[in-house]
Amino acid sequence: MEHRHRTPTDGEVAPAMTAAPDSATGRPVSEREARQVAEAAREQDWRKPSFARELFLGRFRLDLIHP
């Protein structure tokens, strides 16, 4: 028997997504654990200014996007 995913029709709500399993342990990862990993991986200090921010402030810094 072939298994097919059913999409919700008008008025129905899609079922909640299940947590993806951790590739190392095979156990589901909670949203909190995933957020902690993402926040820990985020760059803490910026070495260069952002081109978009500089442009917003009225400074066209071509050196930030063109070598």
Side-chain angles (χ1 to χ4, degrees):
M1 182 157 122
E2 186 178 332
H3 184 289
R4 292 188 179 166
H5 293 283
R6 188 173 148 308
T7 57
T9 59
D10 289 340
E12 290 184 323
V13 177
M17 296 286 292
T18 58
D22 181 6
S23 61
T25 64
R27 70 174 180 80
V29 178
S30 71
E31 180 182 350
R32 174 173 288 201
E33 291 171 315
R35 188 176 310 271
Q36 286 174 341
V37 169
E39 290 295 330
R42 182 185 295 194
E43 190 171 353
Q44 299 298 317
D45 57 327
W46 299 101
R47 292 174 183 84
K48 290 186 175 181
S50 164
F51 173 77
R53 180 177 187 273
E54 292 294 313
L55 189 61
F56 180 76
L57 294 173
R59 297 184 289 254
F60 183 72
R61 298 275 313 271
L62 188 59
D63 61 307
L64 295 174
I65 59 171
H66 190 275

